[in-house]
C-alpha cells in the first residue's frame, strides 16, 4: 500500500517538472526614437500555468555585445531597462521557473531586434480645412529610419453616434497610409468630408516589419460649411382664410447645420405667382421659421440664406390660391405603436416628384419631412399624445392639395377612469357606470368586469359584459346585507379600476311595500273624508235655531184637529211648503189648572189669541178656501205678561200671552176673531215660540 502511494507521488512530481514555460514573446522599446542609439527597454512575456508560487528568471543573451542580462519576477512578464542595444543585433531569451521542490527551464527563443522593435505613438497632430477637404499632419519619433504610418478617421453624427469614416472619404478602400522615408513629419489629405461635422483623427506608425506603435491621442475637428453641400429644404403651412381676406403662412426650412461657424441671415420674399418673381414684399426672419401674410391669390415664397453677408443659397415654395383645384393623396392609413406612427396613403393619378408630410401636436409647433414613397414613419413623438397629420404631393414647380388626418395617437394608455352608481333593492342591485377621460389617448375598452362581494366574508363574485355596456343587474343577493362593488375596464393597453362602492340591500320586497303603502293611503283618505263629513254635519247642527227661554212667551193653541187651517207664516222657508204647520205639545192632564186667567169658557163664542206684541200673525183657512190674512192689531194694553207658574220651578221664564178683560171697547181691537166650535174649546194646547226666531225672520 505504501509503495503504491510513493509511486503515485513521484509520478505527480515528474509531471509537474515537465510543464515548461512556453510561447515567449518580447518587445523592444526605443525610449528615445529621435536620436541614434540611446537607452532601450526589453519586455518579455510567456505562458506557464502553475498553482504553487513560482520564481521566474529571464536570461537574455545579446550576441554582438556578448552580454548576458537577467531579470526576476513572480509573474509571467519581466522587463529589462536601461539597455544599450544595436539595431541589427540578435537576442536569445530563456525563462527559468523555480520552486522549493523543483526547477525547470523553457526552450531558448532567439529574436532579431529590428523585428521586435515598437515605435512610440506620433505626436503633435494638426487638422486643417482645405477647399472641402481636411489636411492631417503629425510628427513621428523615429525620423532616422524609414517607415509607414496609418490614419484612423471617425466622425460624430447629429445624434451623437460615432462611426468610422467612409473609405471613399480617404480615396482608398482601407485606412489611409502614408509612406515615410527619413522625414520627421507626416501628412495626409482627407477628401469629401461633410460640412459642419465633427471629425476625429488618430495616427500610428511602424518601422519596417516591426511592431505597430500605439494609436496617438485622438484629435477632434469641426469642418466648415461647404456651399456645394448645402441642401436647403423649404416648406410652408397655410392657415384658413380670415374675415379680412388674408391668410397666415408659416415658412419652415432645414439644411443649415447648427454647428457651422459664421453668421447666417434669412430673408423671405412673397410674390404673386402671376407676377413671375417681380415685385413682392421682403421679411427678415429667424433661424428656422418665419410667418408672412398673403391674400387669397396664389403666391410663391422665396427664401434667401446669407453667410457672412454673402448669398449662400436661394429656395422657393408654392402657396396655392383659395379654392384652387389641385391633385391630392387619398386613403390615408395610420398605425401607432410606442411613440411611433406609421402613415401610408394612395398616390394621385398625376406623376409626383415626392411628398411633404407635416404633423403637429398642439397646433403651434410643426414638424415635417420629405418622402419619395407612399409611406413614412414618424418617430420621436410624445407619449400618449394626439397628432394632426397632413400629406401633400409635390410636382415640378407647384404643390398639390394637402390631405389631413386628425387626432392620431402616438401610443395608448390605460382605459378611462370609471365612476359607478348603485341602486339596491330587495335581492338585487342595479349597477351603472360612466367613463371619464383621464388621458387624451386612452385605450379602447374591450370589456367591463363588475366585481362584488359581501363585506363580512369577502367572497368574490364577478360579472363580465361587453365594452359597449354601461350597466348590469346583480341578482340573487341576500336581503338586508352590505356588499362592496367595483368595476374593471379592460383594454389591450391595460386595466383601469374604479373605487369601491358599498351598498346594502333592502330588508323587504318592494313588491309588497308598494301595495301596503297604497292601501294605507286609501285608508287615511277615507278617515279624513269621514271626519270632514262629520264636521260639516256638526256645523249644520250648531247653526239650527234653538228656543231661548229668556226671550220666549207662552201661548194657547188649538188641538190637532183645529190646526188644519192654521198657517204660521213667520217661519216660512222658501225651500219647504208655503206654510209651516206648528205642532203643539199634547194636552196636559185635566187636573192641570187653566193657564189663562179671566177667560170664560162657557159664554165665549170665539177663541182669540193676540200676537200684536210679538209681531206674529196667524191665518185661518179651510180645505176649500185660501188662507185669509188677518189684520194687524196694535198692542193691547190689557195683555197680561205675568209669568206662568210651573210645578218644577218657582219661577217660569215664559210670559203668558192669554187675553184678559179690558175696559177698551171690543171694536177697538184689531185682532181677527176666529170662530171655533164649542166642543173643541176643551182641547186647548200649549206651544212655545221664541222672540229671537221672530226677529231673525224680520231680518230676512
Amino acid at each position: 500500500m505504501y509503495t503504491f502511494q510513493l509511486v503515485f507521488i513521484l509520478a505527480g512530481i515528474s509531471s509537474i517538472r515537465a510543464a515548461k514555460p512556453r510561447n515567449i514573446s518580447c518587445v523592444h522599446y526605443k525610449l528615445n526614437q529621435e536620436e541614434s542609439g540611446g537607452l532601450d527597454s526589453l519586455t518579455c512575456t510567456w505562458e506557464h500555468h502553475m498553482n504553487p508560487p513560482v520564481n521566474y528568471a529571464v536570461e537574455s543573451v545579446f550576441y554582438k555585445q556578448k552580454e548576458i542580462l537577467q531579470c526576476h519576477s513572480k509573474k509571467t512578464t519581466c522587463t529589462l531597462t536601461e539597455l544599450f542595444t544595436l539595431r541589427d543585433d540578435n537576442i536569445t531569451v530563456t525563462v527559468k521557473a523555480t520552486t522549493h521542490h523543483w526547477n525547470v527551464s523553457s526552450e531558448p527563443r532567439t529574436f532579431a531586434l529590428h523585428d521586435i522593435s515598437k515605435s512610440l505613438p506620433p505626436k503633435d497632430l494638426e487638422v486643417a480645412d482645405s477647399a472641402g477637404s481636411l489636411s492631417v499632419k503629425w510628427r513621428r519619433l523615429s525620423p532616422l529610419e524609414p517607415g509607414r504610418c496609418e490614419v484612423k478617421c471617425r466622425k460624430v453624427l447629429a445624434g451623437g453616434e460615432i462611426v468610422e469614416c467612409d473609405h471613399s472619404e480617404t480615396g482608398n478602400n482601407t485606412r489611409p497610409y502614408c509612406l515615410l522615408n527619413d522625414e520627421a513629419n507626416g501628412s495626409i489629405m482627407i477628401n469629401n468630408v461633410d460640412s459642419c461635422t465633427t471629425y476625429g483623427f488618430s495616427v500610428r506608425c511602424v518601422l519596417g516589419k516591426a511592431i505597430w506603435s500605439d494609436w496617438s491621442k485622438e484629435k477632434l475637428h469641426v469642418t466648415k460649411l461647404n456651399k456645394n453641400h448645402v441642401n436647403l429644404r423649404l416648406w410652408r403651412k397655410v392657415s384658413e382664410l380670415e374675415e379680412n381676406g388674408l391668410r397666415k403662412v408659416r415658412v419652415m426650412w432645414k439644411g443649415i447645420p447648427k454647428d457651422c461657424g459664421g453668421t447666417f441671415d434669412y430673408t423671405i420674399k412673397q410674390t404673386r405667382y402671376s407676377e413671375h418673381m417681380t415685385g413682392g414684399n421682403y421679411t427678415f426672419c429667424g433661424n428656422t421659421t418665419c410667418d408672412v401674410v398673403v391674400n387669397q391669390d396664389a403666391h410663391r415664397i422665396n427664401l434667401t440664406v446669407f453667410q457672412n453677408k454673402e448669398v449662400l443659397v436661394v429656395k422657393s415654395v408654392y402657396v396655392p390660391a383659395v379654392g384652387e383645384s389641385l391633385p391630392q393623396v387619398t386613403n390615408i392609413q395610420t398605425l401607432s405603436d410606442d411613440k411611433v406612427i406609421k402613415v401610408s396613403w394612395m398616390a394621385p393619378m398625376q406623376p409626383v416628384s415626392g411628398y411633404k408630410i407635416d404633423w403637429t401636436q398642439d397646433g403651434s409647433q410643426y414638424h415635417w419631412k420629405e418622402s419619395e414613397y407612399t409611406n413614412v414613419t414618424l418617430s420621436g413623438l410624445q407619449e400618449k399624445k394626439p397628432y394632426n397629420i397632413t400629406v401633400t404631393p409635390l410636382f415640378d414647380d407647384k404643390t398639390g392639395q394637402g390631405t389631413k388626418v386628425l387626432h392620431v395617437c402616438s401610443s395608448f394608455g390605460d382605459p378611462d377612469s370609471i365612476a359607478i352608481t348603485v341602486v339596491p333593492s330587495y335581492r338585487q342591485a342595479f349597477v351603472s357606470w360612466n367613463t371619464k377621460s383621464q388621458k387624451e389617448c386612452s385605450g379602447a375598452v374591450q370589456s367591463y368586469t363588475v366585481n362584488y362581494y359581501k363585506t363580512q366574508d369577502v367572497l368574490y363574485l364577478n360579472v363580465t359584459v361587453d365594452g359597449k355596456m354601461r350597466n348590469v343587474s346583480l341578482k340573487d343577493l341576500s336581503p338586508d346585507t352590505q356588499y362592496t362593488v367595483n368595476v374593471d375596464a379592460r383594454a389591450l393597453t391595460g386595466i383601469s379600476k374604479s373605487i369601491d362602492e358599498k351598498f346594502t340591500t333592502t330588508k323587504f320586497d318592494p313588491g309588497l311595500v308598494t301595495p301596503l303603502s297604497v292601501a294605507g293611503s286609501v285608508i287615511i283618505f277615507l278617515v279624513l273624508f269621514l271626519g270632514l263629513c262629520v264636521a260639516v254635519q256638526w256645523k249644520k247642527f250648531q247653526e239650527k235655531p234653538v228656543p231661548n227661554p229668556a226671550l220666549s212667551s207662552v201661548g194657547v193653541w188649538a188641538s190637532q184637529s183645529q190646526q188644519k187651517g192654521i198657517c204660521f207664516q213667520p217661519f216660512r222657508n222658501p225651500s219647504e211648503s208655503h206654510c209651516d204647520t206648528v205642532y203643539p205639545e199634547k194636552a196636559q192632564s185635566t187636573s192641570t189648572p187653566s193657564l189663562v186667567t179671566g177667560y170664560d169658557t162657557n159664554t165665549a163664542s170665539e177663541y182669540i189669541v193676540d200676537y200684536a206684541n210679538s209681531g206674529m200673525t196667524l191665518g185661518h183657512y179651510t180645505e176649500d178656501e185660501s188662507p185669509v190674512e188677518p189684520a194687524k192689531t196694535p198692542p193691547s194694553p190689557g195683555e197680561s205678561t205675568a209669568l206662568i207658574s210651573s210645578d218644577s220651578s218657582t219661577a217660569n221664564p215664559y210670559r203668558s200671552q192669554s187675553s184678559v178683560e179690558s175696559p177698551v171697547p171690543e171694536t177697538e181691537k184689531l185682532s181677527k176673531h176666529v170662530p171655533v166650535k164649542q166642543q173643541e174649546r176643551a182641547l186647548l194646547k200649549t206651544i212655545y215660540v221664541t222672540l229671537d226666531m221672530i226677529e231673525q225672520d224680520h231680518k230676512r
Side-chain angles (χ1 to χ4, degrees), residues 595 643-654 688:
L595 299 175
L643 295 176
I644 302 176
S645 60
S646 176
D647 297 336
S648 60
S649 61
T650 58
N652 197 320
Y654 295 95
Y688 303 94

Side-chain angles (χ1 to χ4, degrees), residues 11 80 84 180 409 605 696:
L80 292 171
F84 185 83
L180 302 174
C409 290
S605 62
Q696 292 176 3

Side-chain angles (χ1 to χ4, degrees), residues 16 74 145 184 215 300 324 331 387 534 548 554 664 674:
I16 293 175
K74 293 185 178 181
E145 299 180 19
W215 288 103
R300 183 164 290 279
E324 183 176 357
N331 193 25
Y387 285 84
V534 171
N548 188 353
V554 178
V664 181
V674 182

Side-chain angles (χ1 to χ4, degrees), residues 551-621:
L551 302 175
S552 302
S553 300
V554 178
V556 179
W557 201 250
S559 63
Q560 186 172 0
S561 60
Q562 294 175 337
Q563 297 173 8
K564 202 170 187 180
I566 299 175
C567 180
F568 189 29
Q569 294 180 351
F571 293 93
R572 287 182 310 195
N573 190 339
S575 64
E576 299 178 0
S577 62
H578 179 71
C579 296
D580 294 330
T581 304
V582 180
Y583 297 94
E585 297 179 356
K586 292 182 180 181
Q588 301 290 335
S589 177
T590 54
S591 61
T592 304
S594 178
L595 299 175
V596 180
T597 59
Y599 184 80
D600 188 0
T601 60
N602 296 325
T603 59
S605 62
E606 58 186 1
Y607 171 62
I608 300 174
V609 179
D610 188 3
Y611 294 96
N613 292 336
S614 63
M616 182 174 61
T617 59
L618 295 175
H620 180 268
Y621 65 95

Side-chain angles (χ1 to χ4, degrees), residues 151-176:
V151 179
K152 181 173 64 175
C153 174
R154 301 191 304 170
K155 66 179 178 180
V156 181
L157 301 181
E161 182 182 1
I162 300 177
V163 297
E164 293 286 339
C165 296
D166 189 356
H167 293 163
S168 62
E169 296 175 350
T170 61
N172 300 288
N173 293 329
T174 59
R175 290 191 182 127

Side-chain angles (χ1 to χ4, degrees), residues 678-694:
Q678 181 68 26
Q679 62 271 19
E680 294 176 350
R681 293 177 182 173
L683 301 176
L684 296 178
K685 306 295 182 180
T686 301
I687 63 172
Y688 303 94
V689 180
T690 61
L691 298 181
D692 54 352
M693 294 174 62
I694 300 175

Side-chain angles (χ1 to χ4, degrees), residues 182-318:
D182 296 334
E183 296 87 358
N185 297 327
S187 64
I188 195 171
M189 294 297 295
I190 307 297
N191 301 317
N192 302 322
V193 295
D194 296 335
S195 297
C196 305
T197 303
T198 301
Y199 283 85
F201 297 95
S202 298
V203 181
R204 69 176 182 175
C205 298
V206 64
L207 300 177
K209 297 180 180 180
I211 302 173
W212 282 96
S213 69
D214 295 330
W215 288 103
S216 66
K217 185 179 180 181
E218 187 176 39
K219 178 71 174 182
L220 299 178
H221 180 79
V222 179
T223 58
K224 295 181 180 179
L225 178 61
N226 188 347
K227 183 183 297 187
N228 298 327
H229 295 166
V230 175
N231 181 22
L232 183 64
R233 298 182 297 276
L234 184 64
W235 188 233
R236 84 291 182 275
K237 193 67 179 176
V238 185
S239 66
E240 298 294 334
L241 184 66
E242 299 179 359
E243 296 180 356
N244 56 6
L246 299 178
R247 296 177 293 168
K248 180 180 178 181
V249 180
R250 171 159 293 184
V251 185
M252 304 171 285
W253 59 89
K254 299 178 181 179
I256 306 299
K258 298 180 180 179
D259 298 332
C260 287
T263 302
F264 294 90
D265 298 314
Y266 306 90
T267 302
I268 288 182
K269 177 184 177 182
Q270 62 262 30
T271 309
R272 284 188 175 89
Y273 188 72
S274 59
E275 296 178 358
H276 302 287
M277 303 294 291
T278 62
N281 300 322
Y282 289 88
T283 304
F284 296 96
C285 302
N287 292 330
T288 57
T289 61
C290 190
D291 294 333
V292 296
V293 177
V294 299
N295 57 19
Q296 58 187 356
D297 299 330
H299 282 73
R300 183 164 290 279
I301 304 297
N302 302 279
L303 173 65
T304 303
V305 181
F306 298 87
Q307 182 184 23
N308 299 327
K309 298 183 180 180
E310 294 182 1
V311 176
L312 180 64
V313 65
V314 178
K315 197 79 172 180
S316 66
V317 65
Y318 178 74

Side-chain angles (χ1 to χ4, degrees), residues 641-672:
T641 60
L643 295 176
I644 302 176
S645 60
S646 176
D647 297 336
S648 60
S649 61
T650 58
N652 197 320
Y654 295 95
R655 293 178 295 176
S656 175
Q657 294 184 350
S658 300
S659 300
V660 294
E661 296 295 333
S662 175
V664 181
E666 186 177 0
T667 58
E668 294 179 0
K669 294 183 180 180
L670 300 179
S671 300
K672 178 67 178 180

